[in-house]
Amino acid sequence: MYQEHQYVQKCLQQIEERLDWGSSDAWHNDMFIELSGVIQQETKILLSPVTLKRVWGRIDYKSAPSITTLNTLAQFAGYQNWRDFKAKGVVKGGFGISKKIRVNLGVIMLSASIMTLIFISFYSLKSPDNVPQPIDASKVVFESRPISKSLPNSVVFNLDLSEINADSIHIQQYWDPTKTIPLSANQRQATGQYYLPGYFRAKLIADGKIIKQHDLFIKTEGWLATLDYQPIPKYLKAEDSEEGKLGLSKTLIEELAANEKPLTSTYHLVEDFKSVSGDNFELRSTIKNSYRDKWAVCQNAAIFILGTKGAMIISFAIPGCTSELGLMMNDVYIDGKEHDLSNLGVDLSEPKEIKIHVKDKKLSIFLENRQLFTGSYREDMGRIAGVRYRFLGAGEVYSSKLSSLKEEFIIPLL
C-alpha cells in the first residue's frame, strides 16, 4: 500500500458521492469509460479507463498514482489540485480517528515532514541527477501502417515506449477521446480497427499528455454509403444508391423502418482535394430527408467537413427539435441546450440547397441564400480531406460542389 493511499481513498469516496452512481464495487467497464469522458470534459485532462480502474483497485497495481492523476482526481472532486485536497478535503469527515489521536498524529506528521525535508535536501545535494527528466520524444517510436486499402481496415502501430515512465499510456485513435488502445510500457506493437474512412490524427498519450502524434489517411474509392449499425456499419454496394444522386433503395429504407432503434445512414467521400484550405472554402449541397417516421420524426441531418487538423459538424432538424442540435467548428462547440440554434431548424422533406462558406476561420451557413448562422473558430483546420452527409433514417444528396476561395476553382463532388 503506497504512502498516500488513505488520502486517495478519501478523494475517491467524495467523487463517488458526487456521481451518485452507487457503490463502485458494482461499477462495470462501461461506467469507467463514461467516467473517463466526464472527467476529461470537466478538467480537460484524460485519465484512461485503465488508470481509473487501477486507482479504484479493480486492477492489481502496486505503484502510487502519478501527480497528474492525483491533481486531476482532486480537481474533479472540487479542489484546485492534490495539495489543496490534502489541506481541505480530508477535513470533510476526516479519516474516522479520535481528536486526541489526530493531535498526536499531527505532531508526528510535522516531525516526519521536517525529517523528510532534511532528507530531500541532502539527497538533492548528493544526487542531482535523480530528479525526473522530461520525456525525450525523439527516442519514442510511434509509427503506423494500414493493412489494406479497403474498409474495414486494421492499422498496425509500431512502438518503443522505453523512455516513458507513466501510470497510463494509450493510443487515442482519432479525435474521439474514448476511442483508445491501452498500452503497457514494454509493448512493441498494437493494432487498431477502423470501420470508417477519414483523415485521423493518432496520438500517443501518457498520463493525459500527448507525447507524439501522426496522421492516418484512410480513403474511399468514390462515394461510400453505410448503414451505421454499431459497432460495425453495413457497407452498401454501388447498386444500392440511386442513379444520378446519392440515395438508398426501397429495400434498404424498409430495412431502416424495421429497425426498432434509431439508425443513421451516411454517405462518405474521403480523398485528397487538391489542397483546398479548411479555413477558406465553400461547400454547396442539395439534400433531402427521405424517411421521417417513428424515431426519425425530427428529420435530423448533418454535414461533416473533415480537415487534416480538425473537423466541422453542422446539424439540422425540424424547428421543434433544435434543442437537441449541436454545431462544431473545429475547436469550438455550440450546444443547442445552451445556445439558440433555432435557425438550424429547417424542413428537409423537399430538396434544399445548403451553402457552407468559410473565410479566414469565419463560418457562415445559408439555406437557399438565407443566412442561418455565423460564427468563428481559432485553430487551423488544415486542408479539406473529406465530406460526409448523415441522416437519421435515410436521406438523399442531389448535388455537392466544393470550391476553394484562395485558388478559385470548383470541384464537383457529385
Side-chain angles (χ1 to χ4, degrees):
M1 195 172 293
Y2 50 86
Q3 185 177 1
E4 295 189 310
H5 182 265
Q6 202 171 15
Y7 288 100
V8 172
Q9 295 307 303
K10 184 64 179 177
C11 184
L12 299 185
Q13 179 186 337
Q14 292 185 23
I15 290 174
E16 290 180 33
E17 291 172 355
R18 175 191 171 185
L19 292 171
D20 195 23
W21 291 357
S23 171
S24 61
D25 293 338
W27 290 4
H28 49 77
N29 184 63
D30 289 347
M31 295 177 76
F32 284 99
I33 294 173
E34 183 178 352
L35 179 57
S36 174
V38 171
I39 290 175
Q40 188 192 33
Q41 185 176 13
E42 186 160 320
T43 68
K44 311 306 179 186
I45 299 294
L46 175 64
L47 298 183
S48 74
V50 173
T51 295
L52 296 174
K53 287 182 181 179
R54 286 172 178 169
V55 175
W56 257 272
R58 301 293 285 273
I59 296 177
D60 189 19
Y61 193 73
K62 303 301 182 185
S63 299
S66 71
I67 189 61
T68 300
T69 298
L70 295 176
N71 281 336
T72 305
L73 291 172
Q75 288 174 31
F76 186 68
Y79 303 89
Q80 293 182 5
N81 48 39
W82 185 244
R83 184 178 63 253
D84 185 45
F85 168 77
K86 289 198 295 183
K88 302 174 183 176
V90 295
V91 175
K92 293 173 63 177
F95 291 119
I97 335 175
S98 70
K99 293 182 179 179
K100 183 176 180 181
I101 293 176
R102 282 180 188 153
V103 172
N104 293 337
L105 183 59
V107 173
I108 294 170
M109 290 178 67
L110 178 60
S111 301
S113 299
I114 294 171
M115 291 302 296
T116 302
L117 287 171
I118 294 171
F119 174 78
I120 291 173
S121 299
F122 175 78
Y123 190 78
S124 299
L125 289 171
K126 294 288 288 181
S127 306
D129 293 336
N130 282 278
V131 176
Q133 297 298 311
I135 297 171
D136 185 351
S138 65
K139 296 180 180 179
V140 175
V141 175
F142 178 50
E143 302 168 341
S144 65
R145 173 177 54 86
I147 298 297
S148 70
K149 294 183 179 179
S150 60
L151 287 159
N153 205 334
S154 292
V155 173
V156 175
F157 294 94
N158 294 315
L159 309 163
D160 184 346
L161 311 175
S162 56
E163 288 292 312
I164 300 177
N165 181 18
D167 288 339
S168 169
I169 310 173
H170 63 271
I171 296 169
Q172 182 176 315
Q173 291 184 249
Y174 45 95
W175 62 268
D176 185 346
T178 67
K179 304 301 182 184
T180 62
I181 304 170
L183 304 172
S184 59
N186 59 354
Q187 196 165 337
R188 306 293 294 186
Q189 284 188 323
T191 60
Q193 190 71 44
Y194 291 79
Y195 289 109
L196 295 174
Y199 198 99
F200 306 108
R201 178 151 294 183
K203 301 175 182 179
L204 179 65
I205 299 178
D207 285 345
K209 295 182 179 180
I210 299 172
I211 306 302
K212 270 194 167 181
Q213 57 185 330
H214 64 260
D215 296 331
L216 283 169
F217 202 4
I218 300 179
K219 302 179 182 180
T220 60
E221 296 180 343
W223 284 97
L224 169 71
T226 58
L227 291 186
D228 303 323
Y229 290 104
Q230 294 295 329
I232 302 173
K234 180 176 182 177
Y235 303 99
L236 307 181
K237 299 177 182 178
E239 56 265 27
D240 292 328
S241 295
E242 296 190 16
E243 186 176 353
K245 64 181 178 182
L246 300 176
L248 301 184
S249 67
K250 181 180 179 181
T251 301
L252 287 169
I253 292 179
E254 289 174 353
E255 179 180 336
L256 279 166
N259 209 58
E260 292 300 320
K261 295 182 179 180
L263 185 63
T264 62
S265 58
T266 307
Y267 306 103
H268 314 254
L269 182 63
V270 179
E271 60 181 59
D272 188 352
F273 290 113
K274 300 180 181 179
S275 300
V276 177
S277 167
D279 301 323
N280 290 278
F281 73 92
E282 184 174 279
L283 177 67
R284 287 178 176 260
S285 314
T286 300
I287 65 174
K288 171 187 173 181
N289 195 304
S290 54
Y291 180 74
R292 300 175 295 279
D293 296 329
K294 297 167 63 174
W295 34 257
V297 66
C298 285
Q299 299 184 35
N300 296 86
I303 300 174
F304 295 64
I305 297 99
L306 311 179
T308 57
K309 296 182 179 179
M312 290 186 184
I313 305 175
I314 299 160
S315 56
F316 304 92
I318 61 174
C321 296
T322 56
S323 174
E324 302 295 329
L325 295 181
L327 189 150
M328 188 175 85
M329 300 180 287
N330 201 17
D331 58 309
V332 176
Y333 180 75
I334 299 176
D335 189 341
K337 293 288 188 184
E338 302 173 359
H339 299 84
D340 181 4
L341 294 179
S342 58
N343 282 344
L344 299 181
V346 297
D347 182 359
L348 292 174
S349 57
E350 296 296 331
K352 299 284 176 62
E353 184 187 65
I354 294 172
K355 180 173 72 174
I356 298 169
H357 183 94
V358 178
K359 183 175 182 180
D360 298 330
K361 300 186 177 69
K362 182 178 180 180
L363 166 68
S364 298
I365 303 171
F366 298 85
L367 175 69
E368 299 183 337
N369 295 318
R370 177 171 66 88
Q371 184 167 293
L372 305 180
F373 175 88
T374 182
S376 300
Y377 58 97
R378 298 174 295 273
E379 299 295 326
D380 182 11
M381 270 270 292
R383 67 180 187 276
I384 300 290
V387 175
R388 288 192 183 117
Y389 297 96
R390 178 167 295 164
F391 300 89
L392 181 59
E396 298 173 350
V397 182
Y398 291 80
S399 66
S400 178
K401 294 181 181 179
L402 178 66
S403 305
S404 170
L405 301 186
K406 293 294 186 181
E407 289 80 13
E408 296 183 353
F409 59 84
I410 299 174
I411 304 173
L413 308 181
L414 178 64

